[in-house]
Amino acid sequence: LKPFIVAANWKMNKSPDDAEIFLKEFKAPAAAQAVIFPQALCAERVSRWIPAGVQWGGQNCHFEKAGAFTGENSPEILKKMGASWVLVGHSERRTLFEESDETAAKKIKAAQGCGLIPMLCLGETLMERDEGRMQAVIERQLREGLKLADFAQPLAVAYEPVWAIGTGRVASTEQVGEAHLFLRRILKNLTGAAVPLLYGGSVTPQNCGELSRVPEVNGFLVGGASLKADAFAAIAASFN
Ligand code: 13P
């Protein structure tokens, strides 16, 4: 893995045509690994137009490779289509689709078993932060989510405080620094590996420079600002 990873989570946006237009415009960064996470309906088109040096992945997958799971996406097929990555446990999956730490753990195992790199997403809600439970919550999400992981294989973690996602309310550099240092210490003990630790939540071309200099920030997971090729390229260039 490159030392910095800048990922675009397009969520439930962009048609295959939109995805193709984006990929033709997008200039891959020199220093960071760019990764595109399109919705599954765009996977085929993205696999065809992904620029050299850029990777892509699924926003979600099931924890079985195949079978009677109507509406789900197979990690094995994702891999066969050329995906390198899959997001696991995004806060929208947790809050809107009732995903648990346990399913996250199973998905990470399945993804690694298929040769995909899982990116475990975690982060506290505003209420949890206000109640002083930020550290307890993200430690639980990290330990439980990685329970079945193989630390000899690559994986990444994205810290995305729920209150900063899609709100325009970016976490301060102090808040990001504190959470990342806390997660880094646990990760080091747990894995013994250099696991990339990304920040996500209202990252923009305006605030990415400052955030990229926070210790233990090894990249970004970008939602809204990743929908435009030039904005996402500007963010990806913050690690140059
Ligand atoms: P925004 O960048 O739109 O806040 O979304 C962050 C996110 O959820 C990325 O996974």
Side-chain angles (χ1 to χ4, degrees):
L1 291 183
K2 276 197 186 180
F4 301 110
I5 295 160
V6 181
N9 178 6
W10 287 348
K11 308 192 179 184
M12 202 174 72
N13 299 294
K14 288 199 189 294
S15 67
D17 286 349
D18 297 335
E20 184 179 324
I21 292 166
F22 178 107
L23 295 173
K24 284 175 175 168
E25 266 176 44
F26 179 63
K27 302 259 177 307
Q33 174 65 58
V35 185
I36 308 288
F37 290 100
Q39 59 175 317
L41 295 170
C42 294
E44 167 82 23
R45 193 76 70 93
V46 168
S47 72
R48 212 177 319 151
W49 288 97
I50 196 83
V54 180
Q55 298 176 333
W56 67 278
Q59 294 176 6
N60 180 34
C61 70
H62 193 64
F63 49 75
E64 296 290 346
K65 288 182 180 168
F69 303 102
T70 302
E72 291 292 314
N73 294 308
S74 155
E76 190 176 54
I77 302 298
L78 263 177
K79 177 69 184 177
K80 279 187 183 160
M81 291 180 73
S84 304
W85 291 82
V86 65
L87 294 180
V88 174
H90 189 277
S91 78
E92 285 146 23
R93 301 293 320 165
R94 292 176 190 263
T95 58
L96 305 173
F97 303 98
E98 294 173 12
E99 283 199 3
S100 63
D101 291 325
E102 197 189 337
T103 50
K106 286 155 97 176
K107 288 178 179 192
I108 285 182
K109 184 177 181 200
Q112 288 189 322
C114 293
L116 293 169
I117 308 170
M119 185 181 289
L120 175 66
C121 306
L122 49 81
E124 81 288 358
T125 64
L126 190 56
M127 192 173 82
E128 289 163 342
R129 173 171 281 269
D130 287 347
E131 290 172 357
R133 295 194 288 129
M134 180 273 276
Q135 291 193 345
V137 168
I138 63 177
E139 178 166 8
R140 188 205 75 226
Q141 290 174 327
L142 185 67
R143 288 188 187 278
E144 295 294 312
L146 295 182
K147 222 171 190 168
L148 307 174
D150 176 358
F151 299 130
Q153 290 190 54
L155 66 101
V157 172
Y159 171 61
E160 300 202 293
V162 177
W163 47 271
I165 295 178
T167 57
R169 188 179 155 189
V170 65
S172 70
T173 52
E174 290 75 23
Q175 288 169 324
V176 175
E178 184 202 358
H180 276 235
L181 190 61
F182 177 72
L183 291 168
R184 173 61 67 209
R185 288 200 180 116
I186 302 169
L187 272 173
K188 244 186 204 154
N189 281 330
L190 196 63
T191 71
V195 177
L197 193 45
L198 284 64
Y199 168 75
S202 297
V203 176
T204 63
Q206 288 72 43
N207 62 29
C208 65
E210 191 177 49
L211 288 165
S212 70
R213 291 189 292 275
V214 175
E216 305 302 342
V217 169
N218 312 126
F220 298 125
L221 180 53
V222 189
S226 76
L227 294 171
K228 291 213 170 83
D230 54 352
F232 182 59
I235 293 169
S238 57
F239 290 97
N240 281 352

